[in-house]
Amino acid sequence: MARALTVANLLAKKYDTYPFDGVFKEVFGCPSRNGIWIIYGKDKNGKTWATLLLCDYLSQFSKVWYISAEEGMDMEFQAAVIRAKIDPESSNIHFNEYVTIEDIKARLSARNAPKVVVIDNLSMYKGKISSEGISNLKQEFPKTHFIMVAHEERGEPYTAAAVMAKKLAKVIIRIQGLAMLIGGRVPGGTLTINKEKAMLYHGTAITK
């Protein structure tokens, strides 16, 4: 059992955080560089586009491993990368098609493992990773920042693993009408993926 902390011990702890700025700091603050974030929404609302935009920003601070389990490296995924305007010269973002959970763990156990891991989409791991598996992944790699992408069904993330990811998530991002509705243990707010198209869906409620 780990040693219990006094109040003074707890308040003296230091954390590794992202030095966000601008609109990202407004909605995310300066969050810790570990734990789970979840991004979910209905089909064709901009989940992949939003996730790529976020990864592009995070790559300023950490190495990002994007597992495109659902779309693979198809032409449509390539188009999404172009839409997100990710720099072709960037060496901090790497992409893979579907990777087994065993291989994900093996890579994260190796030297120079990526600090940010994106799993897009959890539906592709149905029957391969359970609710308990999500919790175990977080505990096994406590210094890794996981971003789980999920479909939405009846207003909630789809698959039991995705529901657990939302329960454990520090940051919850729901994609709706090409906008990111951000909540969780952060200041929260809304960021647009595509301002013009988001305005058509949300009207004047969209401000960023």
Side-chain angles (χ1 to χ4, degrees):
M1 179 184 290
R3 180 174 66 90
L5 300 179
T6 65
V7 174
N9 294 152
L10 176 61
L11 296 181
K13 281 177 67 68
K14 303 296 182 185
Y15 301 93
D16 189 13
T17 60
Y18 287 110
F20 285 178
D21 58 11
V23 293
F24 282 90
K25 187 172 183 179
E26 285 183 40
V27 296
F28 292 107
C30 291
S32 55
R33 294 178 182 241
N34 66 338
I36 294 173
W37 293 17
I38 187 166
I39 298 174
Y40 72 101
K42 294 181 179 178
D43 290 349
K44 310 300 184 290
N45 267 244
K47 291 190 297 297
T48 296
W49 191 355
T51 306
L52 287 166
L53 289 170
L54 187 57
C55 287
D56 187 41
Y57 187 67
L58 290 173
S59 71
Q60 297 179 45
F61 316 109
S62 298
K63 288 188 175 181
V64 178
W65 183 25
Y66 195 114
I67 302 169
S68 180
E70 185 173 58
E71 292 189 61
M73 299 293 112
D74 285 353
M75 181 180 71
E76 290 77 13
F77 184 74
Q78 181 191 68
V81 171
I82 293 169
R83 273 198 308 274
K85 298 180 179 178
I86 294 177
D87 185 355
E89 302 301 317
S90 174
S91 60
N92 260 7
I93 305 180
H94 292 88
F95 300 97
N96 268 107
E97 295 184 315
Y98 179 88
V99 179
T100 67
I101 292 298
E102 293 74 22
D103 285 344
I104 291 173
K105 290 182 177 182
R107 182 164 182 190
L108 292 180
S109 299
R111 290 183 61 189
N112 300 317
K115 300 298 184 184
V116 180
V117 179
V118 179
I119 299 178
D120 181 7
N121 188 288
L122 281 175
S123 292
M124 298 300 295
Y125 291 87
K126 187 176 181 182
K128 300 177 180 68
I129 183 167
S130 62
S131 299
E132 186 179 4
I134 292 289
S135 180
N136 290 343
L137 201 60
K138 176 178 178 288
Q139 291 175 21
E140 192 171 342
F141 302 100
K143 294 183 179 180
T144 302
H145 176 188
F146 292 98
I147 299 176
M148 310 288 191
V149 184
H151 292 299
E152 179 182 316
E153 190 172 275
R154 297 179 182 177
E156 292 296 330
Y158 173 67
T159 80
V163 171
M164 176 57 73
K166 184 181 178 185
K167 289 179 179 178
L168 297 176
K170 295 180 178 182
V171 176
I172 299 168
I173 303 173
R174 187 182 185 195
I175 307 300
Q176 193 173 44
L178 289 173
M180 294 183 262
L181 313 180
I182 299 157
R185 300 169 195 157
V186 292
T190 302
L191 293 177
T192 56
I193 303 164
N194 180 292
K195 189 170 184 177
E196 290 74 21
K197 291 182 179 179
M199 287 287 286
L200 290 174
Y201 184 95
H202 296 278
T204 56
I206 296 295
T207 58
K208 294 187 181 68

